[in-house]
Amino acid sequence: MTIQYDPNIYIIKFIIHPIYYHERRNKMKTFFLVALLILAQNNISFGFVDLELYHQQNESYGSFLENHCLEQESSIIQINGFNFHLFPKNTLNGNFYQRYRIFLLTLSLILIGIFFGAFYPRMTQPPIKK
Amino acid sequence: MINKPLGEILIEKNLITKEQLARALELQKETGSLLGEILVSLGLITPLQLYHVITEQGPFEYAGGNLQLLAQEIDPKLLSFFNPQDFFQFSFFPYRTNHDEIEILTPNPNNGSLRQFLENRFPGKRLTLKLITPYELDWLAHIFFKDKFLLEATSGLFYRSPEESAMRVFTPIQWISLGILCALIIIGVFTLPHLTLLILLGLANLFYAINVIFRYVLSSAGAKLDTNSSLFKKTDYQLRPSDLPIYTILLPLYHEPSSVIRQLKTAIQNLDYPPEKLDVIFLIEEDDQETLIHCKAEKPPYNVRFVIVPKGMPKTKPRACNFGLAFARGEFLTIYDAEDIPERDQLKKAVAYFRSSPPNIMCFQNALNFYNAEQNILTRLFTLEYSYWFDYLLPGLYLNHLPVPLGGTSNHFRTKILRDLGGWDPYNVTEDADLGMRASYRGYQIGILPSTTFEEANSQVKNWIRQRSRWLKGYLQTFLVHNRHPFQVIRNSGWKGWFTLQAFIGGTTLGQAFSLILWVLFFIWLFNRGEFLQSYFSGPILYLGVFNLIIGNFLGIYLNMLAVFRRRNDRLIFYSLLNPLYWWLASIAAWKGIFQLFTRPFFWEKTIHGLQFKGKPDE
């Protein structure tokens, strides 16, 4: 059995077709938004750490926070917010909540911001007649 | 032109017998209604037969028959001289005009008040009255004013008083405040988790305890309401049939099975009220052809009018009712659900109560209860709850001069005040509760009518949760709408009115939602031997929690037991012990309602009626 390849169909279906174009644009948008979210979260998380919000934790589990700030082993990991605190030697003394507290706080605040921002027109304006 | 009485002509034409005429004349003496109306309402002749005979009798010409042609002949400029409400109040429709003459279409040409109204409106012009049937009058209004009525039904309240409409779920201040509150809680949970959770648990328990005490106080007051009050006897003289006004009954129907329509028709026919003074309006959605077919198949009596509600959003019961309100003729108006069976004397009782009450009582709410209480455990628990709500809580609110959230159906209104208030909010999914609160905050009062309408209790858990989630979502909408201007609420109805809004309207949904969390914590404590939660439940919070667990649940069960005594449903008494299970269901519904408030705020979770008929061979 041979597979017929028609370049015209390929062009119509995947390049010119407006629905595909919109899908692709939406995917790009989603990608950039997620990337922005991770970056924002990373920066704000570091900001919180600098503000010493972990003060109480530092007293009992002093090592892991300092370590992650000062002893980054790779710049890639520093950019990637999801691997924040995942160095084995940094996490020895903390449970999940202690390790990811700043991360979770930032994520929650950003999600609240996004939710209340995105729903603002829908919740505070009359519905638009369609 | 035949110079003979109407009855005689009808006998000559063999349309009625002498006995039938004698019966109709007897009724006419009692009620003072028109003979033709009585004959039609008794089903002895059709409106068309009546109008043909009246035309023969003279001097009025019958202009109906071909509605499309008639509509083309009507002078649209003439319509602008009137308010559409006038057409139903005085029962007429403008036809044509020239320099010195005005032609009017009416089903009742001998109506003195119509003649006076028109002479005042057009002094010096000669009036020519032509006949049409009441159905043709409705259709003409529908043809010419459908869009206007629909706009009024959908957006009237919002345009006149945007702050009282749930069309906007939150105001910007409310939305931003909620966002800040959520952010503060999150920051608290991640920075000072112990203290934050202590505060949250303390507030939830305190709120719950206040709610329990408030309900107990209300129920104690409600228990004092004497349902055998002498008010009805005192006003007996006002109940002569000739003094009874036209009473409108709105019946919003949507996807109703034929068994339900049959039951509804029988219930309406059984009402002890002169049928010619009953203005029954079946409100059927334009896209619901099935219900229209079922209604026509049941051949309802001639006092029933079909009003087709045009398509549009939001597709809710209050929108349909607002549309129907435009067609209402009655001095008083009530609303029933499709599956309702009101007590026979309910309308007469309502008239008597209205006549002997101050004019600021705009509505009477009567009790609702169920005719299928014994169907299963869910219906038994639902009956207990309904009995408690309508026999104790609402009378408690009334006797304490607090705002009463109207419940479901069987609300009896003064039609004029209802129109002045802007009708129901089509965007609020508990439009009745909202209307009760709005009326109270505008200085009107809601009374309690000692009469009962029997409904069908939801017998399926899924259907029950759907219905309950709608109610609880609507209570939240009402809570948000009336909290937009709290100082105005305090100014209009005092601190008591404001507190009722927080504890009774907001407290019902939020309390039921919190209760699930508190129950989960209780079970964790039970299996965890308290180690994990010990630091959170200590001191005052522990006492409050124990109070809610023991006293709160005891009172809930005890008050439901009391409800049984007033209704003499002794067989249900042991089922009240199962109430905690029922409250868990309510909690699930509360969370569903809260979720829907954000995702589908105006979505109407339709309650499926007629479930009790399922499985019966005849249905």
Side-chain angles (χ1 to χ4, degrees):
Chain A
M1 189 180 153
T2 53
I3 298 169
Q4 295 285 328
Y5 174 75
D6 184 348
N8 291 328
I9 290 176
Y10 177 82
I11 290 166
I12 292 166
K13 197 172 177 185
F14 296 108
I15 297 178
I16 303 171
H17 197 283
I19 295 173
Y20 175 73
Y21 173 71
H22 282 295
E23 270 177 14
R24 201 175 56 169
R25 205 169 61 169
N26 285 340
K27 276 179 190 165
M28 291 297 282
K29 236 189 235 175
T30 313
F31 172 77
F32 281 117
L33 280 174
V34 170
L36 194 68
L37 176 73
I38 293 166
L39 275 173
Q41 187 184 339
N42 217 4
N43 284 329
I44 297 168
S45 299
F46 276 110
F48 276 134
V49 173
D50 288 344
L51 285 170
E52 293 185 0
L53 282 173
Y54 260 133
H55 182 67
Q56 285 179 335
Q57 301 295 330
N58 283 339
E59 285 173 5
S60 48
Y61 308 109
S63 61
F64 75 90
L65 268 171
E66 288 169 13
N67 286 344
H68 96 78
C69 282
L70 303 171
E71 295 180 24
Q72 294 288 349
E73 288 178 355
S74 155
S75 61
I76 296 167
I77 290 169
Q78 200 169 11
I79 291 166
N80 187 346
F82 289 111
N83 289 329
F84 195 61
H85 298 317
L86 275 185
F87 301 109
K89 62 181 175 185
N90 293 340
T91 57
L92 287 174
N93 295 323
N95 62 23
F96 179 84
Y97 171 71
Q98 286 160 340
R99 269 181 275 153
Y100 295 106
R101 200 163 63 138
I102 289 292
F103 176 82
L104 290 171
L105 168 63
T106 318
L107 179 68
S108 307
L109 286 177
I110 289 175
L111 287 179
I112 283 179
I114 290 172
F115 175 79
F116 278 88
F119 272 62
Y120 181 85
R122 181 187 159 91
M123 287 288 140
T124 58
Q125 301 300 323
I128 300 161
K129 277 187 185 175
K130 285 180 183 173
Chain B
M1 189 166 151
I2 307 166
N3 196 13
K4 278 183 186 172
L6 179 71
E8 230 171 277
I9 305 172
L10 288 168
I11 290 173
E12 276 176 16
K13 287 182 172 286
N14 287 328
L15 292 171
I16 55 168
T17 61
K18 281 184 181 172
E19 291 74 30
Q20 287 170 335
L21 177 65
R23 189 175 143 216
L25 287 171
E26 205 171 308
L27 282 173
Q28 192 188 21
K29 267 186 204 164
E30 276 179 31
T31 62
S33 305
L34 295 170
L35 182 66
E37 281 181 359
I38 293 173
L39 290 167
V40 170
S41 68
L42 290 173
L44 300 174
I45 53 170
T46 65
L48 268 181
Q49 285 171 332
L50 172 71
Y51 284 95
H52 282 304
V53 171
I54 294 176
T55 313
E56 283 179 30
Q57 195 188 18
F60 305 106
E61 181 193 332
Y62 178 61
N66 189 341
L67 208 57
Q68 280 184 340
L69 190 67
L70 185 66
Q72 282 170 10
E73 287 171 356
I74 283 171
D75 181 2
K77 282 180 199 162
L78 195 55
L79 300 177
S80 59
F81 288 97
F82 300 96
N83 181 340
Q85 298 304 332
D86 299 336
F87 304 150
F88 297 104
Q89 191 186 343
F90 297 102
S91 204
F92 76 98
F93 205 82
Y95 189 20
R96 290 181 297 215
T97 184
N98 55 37
H99 296 297
D100 58 345
E101 188 189 25
I102 178 162
E103 287 180 287
I104 295 291
L105 304 165
T106 174
N108 182 8
N110 295 318
N111 182 354
S113 57
L114 167 65
R115 196 168 278 275
Q116 197 178 354
F117 170 76
L118 293 169
E119 280 169 359
N120 289 342
R121 186 60 61 96
F122 301 100
K125 282 214 174 189
R126 190 158 53 86
L127 282 177
T128 304
L129 299 179
K130 295 197 170 185
L131 285 170
I132 51 167
T133 66
Y135 307 101
E136 286 164 339
L137 172 60
D138 276 355
W139 275 110
L140 286 175
H142 202 275
I143 290 167
F144 285 96
F145 292 98
K146 184 178 81 172
D147 294 338
K148 188 181 167 143
F149 289 164
L150 194 64
L151 185 70
E152 173 63 29
T154 311
S155 318
L157 180 69
F158 178 75
Y159 287 135
R160 273 195 307 276
S161 180
E163 296 296 286
E164 287 180 321
S165 165
M167 200 168 176
R168 291 187 305 163
V169 185
F170 292 85
T171 55
I173 291 176
Q174 282 177 326
W175 187 244
I176 291 166
S177 306
L178 186 67
I180 291 172
L181 182 70
C182 289
L184 285 177
I185 290 173
I186 290 292
I187 291 170
V189 166
F190 283 100
T191 52
L192 298 164
H194 191 258
L195 181 68
T196 309
L197 287 178
L198 267 181
I199 292 171
L200 289 178
L201 278 174
L203 286 176
N205 273 297
L206 183 68
F207 184 66
Y208 209 82
I210 290 172
N211 220 337
V212 165
I213 295 167
F214 183 54
R215 283 176 183 236
Y216 175 69
V217 171
L218 287 179
S219 311
S220 309
K224 290 175 193 154
L225 183 78
D226 181 10
T227 49
N228 298 316
S229 137
S230 56
L231 185 60
F232 188 59
K233 286 170 195 159
K234 265 191 238 168
T235 53
D236 206 22
Y237 68 94
Q238 289 175 331
L239 291 179
R240 281 177 306 189
S242 56
D243 291 337
L244 289 172
I246 292 179
Y247 214 117
T248 297
I249 300 177
L250 291 184
L251 293 157
L253 309 172
Y254 191 55
H255 290 314
E256 308 295 351
S258 55
S259 52
V260 171
I261 303 291
R262 195 170 310 141
Q263 179 184 287
L264 176 67
K265 181 192 141 194
T266 314
I268 297 298
Q269 280 178 323
N270 280 346
L271 282 172
D272 178 19
Y273 205 86
E276 70 279 3
K277 294 190 176 184
L278 271 186
D279 173 32
V280 186
I281 302 178
F282 280 16
L283 297 165
I284 300 166
E285 295 282 342
E286 195 177 358
D287 60 356
D288 185 16
Q289 289 298 315
E290 200 185 340
T291 304
L292 185 63
I293 291 166
H294 289 159
C295 290
K296 283 183 176 172
E298 289 302 323
K299 293 185 179 156
Y302 284 110
N303 55 10
V304 171
R305 292 189 279 158
F306 290 174
V307 170
I308 307 297
V309 183
K311 277 183 199 169
M313 292 304 285
K315 195 191 278 180
T316 56
K317 177 175 145 187
R319 176 175 164 274
C321 289
N322 279 343
F323 192 76
L325 181 62
F327 290 82
R329 292 189 185 128
E331 179 185 342
F332 302 117
L333 177 147
T334 189
I335 172 169
Y336 292 127
D337 271 353
E339 86 285 13
D340 283 6
I341 304 178
E343 280 183 343
R344 285 199 71 218
D345 62 346
Q346 192 175 102
L347 300 185
K348 280 187 173 175
K349 230 178 208 181
V351 172
Y353 267 63
F354 273 122
R355 291 272 156 86
S356 55
S357 309
N360 70 332
I361 291 208
M362 63 84 67
C363 173
F364 278 101
Q365 167 74 56
N366 63 251
L368 301 178
N369 217 289
F370 296 125
Y371 45 68
N372 62 332
E374 302 278 351
Q375 195 179 338
N376 59 29
I377 292 179
L378 186 63
T379 57
R380 287 184 176 101
L381 290 169
F382 204 173
T383 307
L384 285 169
E385 188 198 18
Y386 243 43
S387 306
Y388 167 52
W389 185 272
F390 285 101
D391 297 347
Y392 290 85
L393 276 181
L394 294 193
L397 288 170
Y398 164 66
L399 290 173
N400 284 298
H401 306 290
L402 296 171
V404 179
L406 297 173
T409 70
S410 305
N411 328 118
H412 299 265
F413 297 99
R414 292 185 200 271
T415 314
K416 190 182 174 306
I417 298 182
L418 180 62
R419 284 193 175 120
D420 291 347
L421 277 174
W424 295 269
D425 181 355
Y427 290 89
N428 193 314
V429 292
T430 48
E431 74 296 343
D432 30 35
D434 170 70
L435 181 60
M437 302 305 281
R438 192 180 344 137
S440 299
Y441 298 142
R442 286 220 207 155
Y444 293 107
Q445 277 190 317
I446 310 289
I448 298 292
L449 188 73
S451 175
T452 305
T453 297
F454 291 90
E455 297 195 304
E456 181 194 349
N458 242 315
S459 52
Q460 287 180 355
V461 173
K462 203 178 160 189
N463 198 26
W464 185 92
I465 289 180
R466 282 162 58 87
Q467 185 187 45
R468 185 55 55 104
S469 69
R470 170 165 63 78
W471 291 354
L472 294 174
K473 178 174 72 176
Y475 265 49
L476 271 185
Q477 286 182 307
T478 308
F479 174 73
L480 289 168
V481 163
H482 295 289
N483 263 321
R484 287 173 184 171
H485 296 289
F487 292 112
Q488 205 172 316
V489 169
I490 293 167
R491 204 167 46 242
N492 290 347
S493 63
W495 284 99
K496 278 173 24 175
W498 177 84
F499 179 75
T500 308
L501 177 67
Q502 317 307 323
F504 205 76
I505 301 298
T508 300
T509 309
L510 298 177
Q512 287 182 358
F514 285 150
S515 88
L516 191 66
I517 297 171
L518 296 178
W519 274 109
V520 168
L521 288 177
F522 171 68
F523 281 113
I524 291 174
W525 174 82
L526 212 59
F527 294 112
N528 185 259
R529 291 177 179 270
E531 286 163 21
F532 166 63
L533 288 166
Q534 224 155 27
S535 62
Y536 292 105
F537 282 93
S538 58
I541 295 177
L542 178 69
Y543 301 138
L544 268 177
V546 172
F547 172 85
N548 289 337
L549 180 71
I550 298 173
I551 310 286
N553 282 306
F554 165 75
L555 279 179
I557 292 169
Y558 177 69
L559 291 170
N560 272 271
M561 282 182 173
L562 276 184
V564 165
F565 290 119
R566 189 167 263 180
R567 293 269 161 192
R568 295 192 175 86
N569 287 331
D570 299 345
R571 279 181 297 182
L572 298 182
I573 198 158
F574 292 109
Y575 289 94
S576 56
L577 294 172
L578 296 175
N579 255 310
L581 298 174
Y582 185 72
W583 297 332
W584 296 347
L585 277 186
S587 296
I588 295 167
W591 283 109
K592 188 181 173 194
I594 291 171
F595 181 72
Q596 270 200 0
L597 182 74
F598 296 101
T599 53
R600 305 169 87 183
F602 316 121
F603 176 64
W604 189 273
E605 289 269 19
K606 162 84 178 130
T607 312
I608 301 161
H609 297 141
L611 292 175
Q612 55 147 353
F613 294 120
K614 279 194 176 171
K616 291 189 180 177
D618 291 342
E619 305 301 328

